[in-house]
Amino acid sequence: MSNPSSPFTNAARAEQPFGPPLIGALLRMPWETVQRHMLERLHERGFADFDAAYLIVFQYPGPQGARPSDLAARLRVSKQALSYLLGELERLGYLERRPDPDDLRSKRVALTRRGASAIGVIREAVGEVETAWAQQLGPKRFAQFRNLLLDLTGPTSTS
């Protein structure tokens, strides 16, 4: 049987039982840096009750206007798990679940002023990380890195 792995996954097996980090780990590690910085900034700016578990709800493109069932599918979490997170975020004043004007049996997620402010802090924090990485890698390499990530994500809005 042939090994479908890339040459990157087979390198240095003798030195490390798990081998070098695979692409998933290489993507996760920078995300963890971004996540830590977002939470630090949120806590510094008065959002001390904002937990890392809530970040999934606020990830791009955000929950605004989504039906909870559609949001759960997009985030790839169970409806029950999302319902719990939405309940916590609603209790903390970050969002509300309002009647859907098109289907009164359903609800839509609406950010509160506090939720919109938190998203502003999150975006600022990510901007700070991007600036630091651009300084570390140089503007040209950082732009290439960002463009490669956009290539991998497919056609999406870059705004």
Side-chain angles (χ1 to χ4, degrees):
M1 177 166 93
S2 67
N3 186 344
S5 298
S6 75
F8 302 107
T9 62
N10 292 321
R13 277 193 199 262
E15 298 90 42
Q16 301 173 356
F18 291 103
L22 301 177
I23 195 70
L26 292 172
L27 292 168
R28 185 191 74 243
M29 289 184 272
W31 159 243
E32 290 172 347
T33 298
V34 171
Q35 184 180 30
R36 272 191 306 274
H37 193 69
M38 288 188 295
L39 289 170
E40 286 171 9
R41 285 293 175 264
L42 283 163
H43 296 165
E44 289 171 2
R45 300 274 184 88
F47 301 97
D49 56 359
F50 199 101
D51 189 76
Y54 306 149
L55 287 171
I56 190 171
V57 176
F58 284 84
Q59 75 184 17
Y60 181 83
Q64 184 68 11
R67 287 188 178 111
S69 58
D70 296 337
L71 186 58
R74 186 177 78 205
L75 299 175
R76 296 184 176 153
V77 298
S78 70
K79 292 177 191 176
Q80 295 83 356
L82 182 67
S83 181
Y84 174 79
L85 290 172
L86 293 177
E88 288 296 297
L89 288 164
E90 195 166 23
R91 182 181 64 77
L92 295 169
Y94 290 99
L95 57 80
E96 298 173 345
R97 288 176 278 194
R98 296 182 182 158
D100 183 339
D102 300 326
D103 180 358
L104 297 179
R105 298 169 297 166
S106 186
K107 301 274 187 191
R108 295 263 182 185
V109 175
L111 292 172
T112 62
R113 190 173 299 142
R114 181 170 171 78
S117 294
I119 287 176
V121 172
I122 288 168
R123 292 187 65 84
E124 284 177 28
V126 173
E128 291 170 359
V129 172
E130 287 184 356
T131 298
W133 287 350
Q135 290 172 351
Q136 180 181 348
L137 298 174
K140 183 177 178 183
R141 286 180 63 212
F142 181 75
Q144 289 171 331
F145 171 66
R146 198 172 192 295
N147 287 331
L148 289 169
L149 291 173
L150 287 170
D151 287 348
L152 290 173
T153 61
T156 61
S157 171
T158 57
S159 57

